[in-house]
């Protein structure tokens, strides 16, 4: 009989695999490097398509194949054929935080039945359309509500909430300024 027993997954998270990943990154910080690249092309009017073809994890290319479509509502000169870039941004931060909540619950041994995040924002088009230079061109605030239900306590959910705000990459990306280093090819 092996000296260590495999733990069953919690919330679908392989706890032993997660522990192995953490140990590997601690042993060699280069294993924790993940490089992402997406390419977005205009497809007419306000529609665009973004291709995800690979990412690099610990120096090894991992093939991926996804297309993400964006468009604007009819009222904003779009064809209303896909979520807007702003909705995709909110979806990206929500999805990243969901991963955080599920993993935080798993490592605490908490089985979740519900993990849902609703995010709302307000965009004043006077900034984007250069009608009023005092109006910001983007969102100044994102309001979100998290629903968690399972076999955890309120105190455990509060601790998970604090942890997700501390370690979620997309929460981090939106909660503080991030350098945008663009160049025209």
């Amino acid at each position: 009989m092996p000296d260590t027993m495999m733990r069953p997954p919690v919330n679908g998270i392989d706890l032993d695999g997660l522990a192995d990943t953490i140990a590997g990154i601690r042993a060699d910080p280069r294993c924790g490097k993940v490089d992402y690249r997406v390419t977005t092309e205009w497809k007419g009017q306000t529609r665009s398509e973004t291709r995800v073809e690979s990412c690099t994890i610990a120096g090894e290319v991992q093939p991926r194949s996804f297309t993400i479509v964006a468009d604007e509502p009819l009222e904003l000169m779009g064809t209303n054929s896909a979520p807007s870039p702003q909705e995709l941004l909110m979806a990206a931060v929500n999805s990243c935080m969901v991963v955080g909540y599920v993993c935080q619950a798993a490592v605490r041994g908490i089985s979740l039945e519900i993990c849902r995040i609703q995010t709302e924002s307000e965009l004043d088009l006077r900034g984007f359309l250069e009608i009023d230079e005092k109006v910001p061109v983007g969102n100044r605030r994102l309001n979100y509500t998290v629903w968690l239900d399972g076999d955890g306590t309120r105190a455990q959910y509060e601790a998970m909430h604090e942890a997700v705000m501390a370690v979620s990459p997309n929460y981090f990306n939106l909660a503080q300024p991030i350098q945008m280093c663009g160049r025209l090819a």
Side-chain angles (χ1 to χ4, degrees), residues 113-132:
E113 294 173 22
I114 295 172
C115 179
R116 182 174 64 242
I117 303 172
Q118 182 179 54
T119 300
E120 300 175 355
S121 71
E122 181 179 276
L123 182 66
D124 189 333
L125 292 175
R126 293 177 300 162
F128 170 72
L129 297 173
E130 301 179 294
I131 293 169
D132 186 342

Side-chain angles (χ1 to χ4, degrees), residues 50-114:
T50 300
R51 293 282 309 142
V52 178
E53 295 174 353
S54 67
C55 68
T56 303
I57 302 174
E60 294 197 26
V61 175
Q62 304 297 322
R64 297 169 60 76
S65 180
F66 303 101
T67 300
I68 304 165
V69 179
D71 197 2
E72 294 286 352
L74 296 170
E75 297 78 8
L76 298 178
M77 303 335 112
T79 63
N80 201 36
S81 64
S84 73
Q86 292 71 33
E87 291 162 330
L88 290 171
L89 177 69
M90 291 189 301
V93 73
N94 283 8
S95 298
C96 186
M97 289 192 302
V98 162
V99 170
Y101 284 108
V102 169
C103 287
Q104 288 291 327
V107 298
R108 289 170 165 79
I110 298 168
S111 294
L112 291 177
E113 294 173 22
I114 295 172

